[in-house]
Amino acid sequence: MSLTFTFEPAVTPALRDGVLDLWTDVSNAGGSVGFVPPVTREDIRPELVKHMVGMAEGRTRLLVGHDEEGRVAATAFLALNTHRLMRHWLWLYTVMVHPRHQGRGYGRDLMAAAADAARTCDGTEAIRLTCRGGLGLERFYESCGYKEVGRVPGAIRVAPGDDRDDVFMLLPLT
């Protein structure tokens, strides 16, 4: 089975709760999505609210993948640039596939769907994202066509004595 992707879905309580559950489960499985386990839904809720405010203001767009049972199984947030000199590219944030679905190619499907969604955003020529070094994420994103364009050593402090690189990746869409 594959995921069914929807770009800019209607935000319902079920969708909101599904994204919150996904983000919690991915974080607790060690996913690099802004938190270090263990976390609860209440730990993550304020970050989700920030994303939702961006959506309400038209600065952020949501791509969601549902599994065959209709559950939220994957997400990516596309954040448009507000700086007048940088509107030709957007940021990709909070890229997640539920742990129960990993290893099936859904991550690559999500990245392809995100590129397709970005192409529908007027004037968008590239996608930028950052990832936490030390987890092999760079290799995954490179396999999806992204190139490493920068790195800040030790910029992410996962825990005392555990600093990771912040890796900048770029995917040209043209």
Side-chain angles (χ1 to χ4, degrees):
M1 296 303 248
S2 61
L3 300 182
T4 302
F5 292 100
T6 307
F7 185 46
E8 298 189 286
V11 178
T12 63
L15 177 68
R16 181 201 61 224
D17 291 346
V19 173
L20 187 59
D21 289 340
L22 171 67
W23 203 340
T24 303
D25 292 346
V26 168
S27 296
N28 283 325
S32 176
V33 287
F35 294 91
V36 176
V39 295
T40 66
R41 294 175 85 227
E42 295 312 309
D43 295 327
I44 291 174
R45 187 180 307 278
E47 284 302 310
L48 178 58
V49 167
K50 288 178 189 176
H51 282 50
M52 298 266 176
V53 167
M55 290 168 58
E57 294 174 350
R59 296 178 289 108
T60 302
R61 297 181 180 172
L62 172 62
L63 173 67
V64 64
H66 287 91
D67 64 17
E68 60 277 357
E69 296 174 13
R71 294 178 297 193
V72 174
T75 63
F77 288 87
L78 291 78
L80 305 175
N81 266 303
T82 57
H83 191 287
R84 67 188 161 279
L85 302 178
M86 297 183 192
R87 291 188 181 136
H88 59 288
W89 59 268
L90 56 74
W91 285 104
L92 191 61
Y93 287 110
T94 320
V95 176
M96 301 184 283
V97 174
H98 197 281
R100 75 176 159 266
H101 294 299
Q102 291 179 2
R104 299 181 188 179
Y106 293 164
R108 286 191 197 335
D109 294 345
L110 174 62
M111 297 307 291
D116 289 344
R119 286 183 182 95
T120 71
C121 300
D122 286 340
T124 299
E125 299 173 10
I127 301 173
R128 284 177 62 178
L129 61 79
T130 65
C131 63
R132 184 185 304 170
L135 299 173
L137 296 171
E138 306 95 318
R139 288 188 305 279
F140 168 72
Y141 290 120
E142 286 171 353
S143 75
C144 295
Y146 285 75
K147 293 189 185 325
E148 182 176 328
V149 294
R151 181 179 290 256
V152 180
I156 301 170
R157 180 155 293 156
V158 177
D162 186 2
D163 294 347
R164 309 284 178 87
D165 294 354
D166 191 8
V167 182
F168 291 79
M169 309 288 293
L170 179 75
L171 176 71
L173 296 173
T174 55

